[in-house]
Amino acid sequence: MARQPVPASQLSDRAQLLLKALVQRYIEDGQPVGSRTLAKNTGMDLSPATIRNVMSDLEELGFLRAPHTSAGRVPTVRGYRFFVDTLMQVRPLENAAVQSMERELRGAHSTHGLVQSASTLLSGLSHMAGIVMIPRRDSVTLRQIEFLPLSERRVLAIIVVNEREVQNRILHVSRDYTRTELTEAANYLNRLFAGHDLQQVRAQLLAELQAAELEANDLLQRVAEMAEQALSPEARELPDDFVLAGQTNLMGFSELADVQRLRGLFEAFTHKRDLLGLFDQCLRADGVQIYIGDESGYEVLDECSVIAAPYGCPGQTLGVLGIIGPTRMAYERVVPLVDVTAKLLSAALNSQA
Amino acid sequence: MARQPVPASQLSDRAQLLLKALVQRYIEDGQPVGSRTLAKNTGMDLSPATIRNVMSDLEELGFLRAPHTSAGRVPTVRGYRFFVDTLMQVRPLENAAVQSMERELRGAHSTHGLVQSASTLLSGLSHMAGIVMIPRRDSVTLRQIEFLPLSERRVLAIIVVNEREVQNRILHVSRDYTRTELTEAANYLNRLFAGHDLQQVRAQLLAELQAAELEANDLLQRVAEMAEQALSPEARELPDDFVLAGQTNLMGFSELADVQRLRGLFEAFTHKRDLLGLFDQCLRADGVQIYIGDESGYEVLDECSVIAAPYGCPGQTLGVLGIIGPTRMAYERVVPLVDVTAKLLSAALNSQA
DNA sequence: GTTTGGCACTCTACGGCCCTGAGTGCCAAT
DNA sequence: ATTGGCACTCAGGGCCGTAGAGTGCCAAAC
């Protein structure tokens, strides 16, 4: 999306103030705002006629548009954009709210529970849809690995990573191994590689195998065959995924009340691909990202805004979380909410590890 | 739900034939059906006036109703009920379709993949929402159990059941055990109980513990402490759950087009509780169950019908699958679809085990 | 030259009105 | 018992007029 910044210089102070008042007003009650209303509403002592002139300018510049000749004006995407970039002042959440969020997150035990809670918090507090990408840790530390024989040349690999998470994988091997053989192999891996990064382990192992190729080291062969499968990157990572909460909240907004539009949106929720693409962009960003209306580049989100923020440990982004709602949303409240949630989730994940 | 059967004797053959024609016609194009249409449509050589009389009778008996004075008639829940119970003749699926379904299911490897495929099949072929409860096996055969030490008095239990499924569980124990101690405990359990039902194992173990209480058998103590947690029924079973596909299909039906109604429905999908209650009833039933409109007893389903069937091995029901759609659906096509899917899924699960 | 009041204009939303088409209910004739 | 005829009812669509809200423009005022 070409999102060229709007030079504030184009707009007089007065125009900016009026734009701000209009956007706030429109966000509040969803009706197009007319000059009369605005004249009363803002502190400024101006007649409706004057305001009409200013509004006319703002429309010409693309910040406002009129649904029809004799309605008031509503903000365009550009108008919202200028509002969130320059005009709005976010009000930080009250302490009490933050604390109750913290409590909620503390209640979760597993990583998945944490993600679930965060998502519920986002949707509950915003009355829109909350979304949290499953954290994907780039560096996965091997803590322990075990192999158990199953029947028919299948081996069950159990991999404990990051102190808490357990992954199972069924390997198909070239012959049946005995229990002792498997234990040996596991011991070998645990002895040498416990505490190392999973990808490193794999690379190092392959290197070693190359070196020892000539010597027919049976143990190493065995280890290699299984580790190859057990640690392969495709298998390693859970499929990209996210947890969604409060989708149905979106059915309450009149601007999304069209069943066709909703259908598109919900299909995007179930197919996930598009949304993941969008959220991926935020992985490489810093702080709260805002996509207003068609800025996201996905047609189903044309009438929606997405507020997202990455979370993770200081050095490393683990995922992205955010909110989806109609373009007309209370940005001033939602932005800090997303911000705080990201920080709290980060903290919770770190203390957990 | 009080669903008293309707004695066919109440209705003359002619009335039944007309009712059948009307329901079929209405299912086809969704418009209230008038006497004129029906006169032309059915083979019978009757004038519209005569048909009007019959329709009037049918309305009085509660099988039909008129949306307003001068519209045609539409079936009531009772009308649909009589139709599915007595009038309709299901047409079995074509062989080609069944085969392609089989192929689709064969493509799935894990149990979960199978469930997912079944659900997708149901929704894809019916153009409505497909739903499959996660199979819950009452008798879970222990194949192998292993314990691995984690830090801080936590032990990871790995339980392989039913030849294929692996369950992990983190146990909190009274002291740190050494690796050898844990292996001993696991060996003990595997030696004595591999191949037994999980619940039996637990009961037997408790009995043995009682018997040996006086002898301070350290090994047995150890085993008991862990098995108690690892095999506890609450922990054992995955939470009741189901997989849903094609929810968004429901957004295409004009009779459900009201956003409020849809919202209720989708909330039921995410909270799951109500739907699980309904499907639980089918667990104890045999063959295809049909709930029309408010027969389900859940208000959100008032405008919907649910076609469900249990699946599982011959002796044992593992779960329920089905379809959710508007009351006005092609029962003649959907009933065999659900029936066949249940049979295919059962077969697939059995061949897998 | 910015601001303002005044005025004509435009557009939507809403209610009433009429007409048409579809279908019914009833009655008298077959 | 069945039928044709006829009066009646009702939803939906088009049309009109009105009320309300808001605009754009212009000429006067500050």
Side-chain angles (χ1 to χ4, degrees):
Chain A
M1 270 288 94
R3 197 199 300 167
Q4 70 274 50
V6 177
S9 59
Q10 270 191 16
L11 259 50
S12 70
D13 282 2
R14 195 173 65 181
Q16 293 194 27
L17 231 71
L18 279 174
L19 178 56
K20 180 176 173 184
L22 188 145
V23 173
Q24 284 175 330
R25 173 75 186 214
Y26 180 67
I27 283 175
E28 244 181 65
D29 63 24
Q31 298 301 316
V33 186
S35 54
R36 227 179 98 83
T37 318
L38 217 49
K40 276 186 268 177
N41 207 301
T42 65
M44 299 180 286
D45 201 21
L46 288 175
S47 80
T50 315
I51 292 186
R52 278 204 284 282
N53 292 327
V54 182
M55 282 165 92
S56 183
D57 295 348
L58 285 170
E59 181 163 15
E60 215 160 307
L61 291 168
F63 294 101
L64 300 179
R65 67 187 181 80
H68 56 85
T69 332
S70 106
R73 307 292 213 296
V74 300
T76 60
V77 168
R78 198 177 186 202
Y80 279 124
R81 170 55 55 195
F82 190 76
F83 176 76
V84 300
D85 282 346
T86 324
L87 301 176
M88 83 172 175
Q89 44 229 29
V90 302
R91 245 170 327 180
L93 271 65
E94 303 111 47
N95 258 332
V98 177
Q99 274 162 20
S100 92
M101 290 170 74
E102 248 177 321
R103 220 174 307 126
E104 172 75 26
L105 287 179
R106 220 189 298 285
H109 292 299
S110 64
T111 301
H112 195 268
L114 215 49
V115 166
Q116 188 73 52
S117 293
S119 172
T120 311
L121 275 178
L122 283 171
S123 87
L125 293 173
S126 68
H127 306 291
M128 301 187 267
I131 183 168
V132 180
M133 276 176 62
I134 306 285
R136 49 167 160 188
R137 309 187 183 256
D138 274 352
S139 85
V140 183
T141 307
L142 175 67
R143 188 172 135 62
Q144 189 170 334
I145 190 166
E146 300 292 329
F147 301 112
L148 299 179
L150 299 174
S151 53
E152 300 164 41
R153 300 195 302 197
R154 288 178 306 141
V155 170
L156 173 66
I158 296 127
I159 311 172
V160 186
V161 293
N162 294 336
E163 202 69 16
R164 191 173 286 240
E165 273 167 72
V166 186
Q167 300 178 15
N168 298 317
R169 204 153 301 144
I170 291 176
L171 317 178
H172 296 263
V173 290
S174 55
R175 67 170 174 87
D176 277 327
Y177 292 105
T178 67
R179 176 167 276 265
T180 326
E181 284 176 313
L182 291 175
T183 312
E184 268 177 31
N187 285 344
Y188 178 89
L189 285 170
N190 285 324
R191 193 155 13 92
L192 265 74
F193 296 118
H196 288 58
D197 178 88
L198 227 55
Q199 283 322 291
Q200 281 174 29
V201 175
R202 187 156 176 269
Q204 215 168 322
L205 209 55
L206 288 177
E208 237 166 278
L209 189 65
Q210 298 264 323
E213 202 174 4
L214 304 178
E215 320 170 33
N217 183 334
D218 182 45
L219 173 61
L220 197 52
Q221 290 286 351
R222 225 183 295 157
V223 169
E225 174 173 16
M226 285 182 295
E228 171 68 28
Q229 287 185 57
L231 309 180
S232 72
E234 312 87 63
R236 214 199 73 226
E237 204 49 66
L238 295 172
D240 271 337
D241 203 356
F242 56 73
V243 168
L244 200 59
Q247 308 97 294
T248 50
N249 284 342
L250 299 183
M251 292 179 165
F253 296 106
S254 53
E255 47 264 74
L256 306 175
D258 170 35
V259 180
Q260 279 317 304
R261 184 177 298 289
L262 278 176
R263 184 170 185 174
L265 208 49
F266 276 68
E267 268 163 10
F269 288 156
T270 41
H271 293 133
K272 304 197 168 182
R273 226 173 36 91
D274 286 357
L275 284 180
L276 281 170
L278 178 58
F279 275 49
D280 257 4
Q281 295 175 26
C282 305
L283 269 176
R284 285 174 297 282
D286 206 41
V288 178
Q289 303 291 305
I290 304 180
Y291 300 88
I292 301 167
D294 61 11
E295 286 179 355
S296 68
Y298 296 96
E299 204 179 330
V300 286
L301 292 177
D302 268 8
E303 301 293 312
C304 293
S305 286
V306 179
I307 316 292
Y311 66 85
C313 339
Q316 189 198 357
T317 300
L318 294 181
V320 178
L321 56 73
I323 275 176
I324 300 180
T327 342
R328 178 194 146 228
M329 67 164 76
Y331 296 93
E332 284 158 322
R333 288 197 318 102
V334 172
V335 169
L337 172 62
V338 171
D339 190 35
V340 168
T341 311
K343 293 204 172 93
L344 290 180
L345 180 58
S346 303
L349 282 169
N350 288 330
S351 82
Q352 160 182 298
Chain B
M1 271 288 92
R3 196 199 301 166
Q4 69 276 47
V6 177
S9 58
Q10 270 191 15
L11 259 52
S12 70
D13 280 2
R14 195 174 65 181
Q16 293 192 28
L17 229 73
L18 279 174
L19 178 55
K20 181 176 173 185
L22 187 145
V23 173
Q24 283 175 330
R25 173 75 186 215
Y26 180 67
I27 284 174
E28 244 181 65
D29 64 23
Q31 297 301 315
V33 186
S35 55
R36 226 179 99 82
T37 320
L38 219 47
K40 274 186 269 177
N41 207 302
T42 65
M44 300 180 284
D45 200 19
L46 288 174
S47 80
T50 315
I51 292 186
R52 279 205 284 281
N53 292 327
V54 182
M55 282 165 92
S56 183
D57 296 347
L58 285 170
E59 181 164 15
E60 215 161 308
L61 290 168
F63 293 102
L64 300 179
R65 69 188 180 78
H68 57 85
T69 331
S70 103
R73 306 293 214 293
V74 300
T76 59
V77 168
R78 198 176 186 200
Y80 278 124
R81 170 55 55 193
F82 190 76
F83 176 76
V84 300
D85 283 345
T86 324
L87 301 176
M88 82 173 175
Q89 43 230 29
V90 301
R91 244 169 328 179
L93 271 64
E94 304 110 48
N95 258 334
V98 177
Q99 274 162 22
S100 93
M101 289 169 74
E102 248 176 323
R103 219 173 309 124
E104 172 75 25
L105 287 179
R106 222 188 297 286
H109 292 298
S110 64
T111 301
H112 195 267
L114 215 49
V115 166
Q116 187 74 51
S117 293
S119 173
T120 311
L121 276 178
L122 284 171
S123 86
L125 294 173
S126 68
H127 305 290
M128 301 187 267
I131 182 168
V132 180
M133 276 177 61
I134 306 285
R136 49 166 159 187
R137 312 189 179 254
D138 274 352
S139 86
V140 183
T141 307
L142 175 66
R143 189 172 136 61
Q144 189 171 335
I145 191 166
E146 298 293 328
F147 300 112
L148 299 179
L150 299 174
S151 54
E152 299 165 42
R153 300 195 304 199
R154 289 178 304 141
V155 170
L156 173 66
I158 295 125
I159 311 173
V160 186
V161 293
N162 294 335
E163 203 70 15
R164 190 174 286 242
E165 271 168 74
V166 185
Q167 299 178 14
N168 297 317
R169 203 152 304 141
I170 291 176
L171 317 177
H172 296 264
V173 290
S174 54
R175 66 171 173 85
D176 277 326
Y177 293 105
T178 67
R179 176 167 276 262
T180 325
E181 284 176 314
L182 291 175
T183 312
E184 268 178 31
N187 285 344
Y188 178 89
L189 285 170
N190 286 324
R191 191 153 17 88
L192 268 73
F193 297 118
H196 290 57
D197 178 87
L198 228 56
Q199 283 322 292
Q200 280 173 30
V201 175
R202 189 156 175 268
Q204 216 169 321
L205 208 57
L206 288 177
E208 237 168 276
L209 190 65
Q210 298 264 323
E213 200 174 5
L214 304 178
E215 319 170 34
N217 184 333
D218 182 45
L219 172 61
L220 197 52
Q221 290 288 349
R222 224 184 296 159
V223 170
E225 173 174 16
M226 285 183 295
E228 170 68 28
Q229 288 185 55
L231 308 180
S232 72
E234 312 88 62
R236 215 199 72 226
E237 204 49 67
L238 295 173
D240 273 336
D241 204 355
F242 55 73
V243 167
L244 200 59
Q247 308 98 293
T248 50
N249 283 342
L250 299 184
M251 291 180 166
F253 295 106
S254 55
E255 47 264 73
L256 305 175
D258 170 35
V259 180
Q260 280 316 305
R261 185 175 298 289
L262 279 176
R263 183 170 185 175
L265 208 50
F266 276 68
E267 268 162 10
F269 288 157
T270 41
H271 294 133
K272 303 196 168 182
R273 226 172 37 92
D274 286 357
L275 285 180
L276 282 170
L278 178 58
F279 275 49
D280 257 4
Q281 295 175 27
C282 305
L283 269 176
R284 285 175 296 282
D286 206 41
V288 178
Q289 304 291 306
I290 304 180
Y291 300 88
I292 301 167
D294 60 12
E295 286 179 354
S296 68
Y298 297 96
E299 204 180 329
V300 287
L301 293 177
D302 268 9
E303 302 293 312
C304 292
S305 286
V306 178
I307 316 292
Y311 66 85
C313 337
Q316 190 198 356
T317 301
L318 294 181
V320 177
L321 56 73
I323 276 177
I324 299 180
T327 343
R328 179 193 144 231
M329 66 164 78
Y331 295 93
E332 285 158 321
R333 286 199 318 102
V334 172
V335 169
L337 172 61
V338 170
D339 190 35
V340 167
T341 311
K343 292 203 172 94
L344 290 180
L345 180 58
S346 303
L349 282 170
N350 289 329
S351 81
Q352 161 184 296

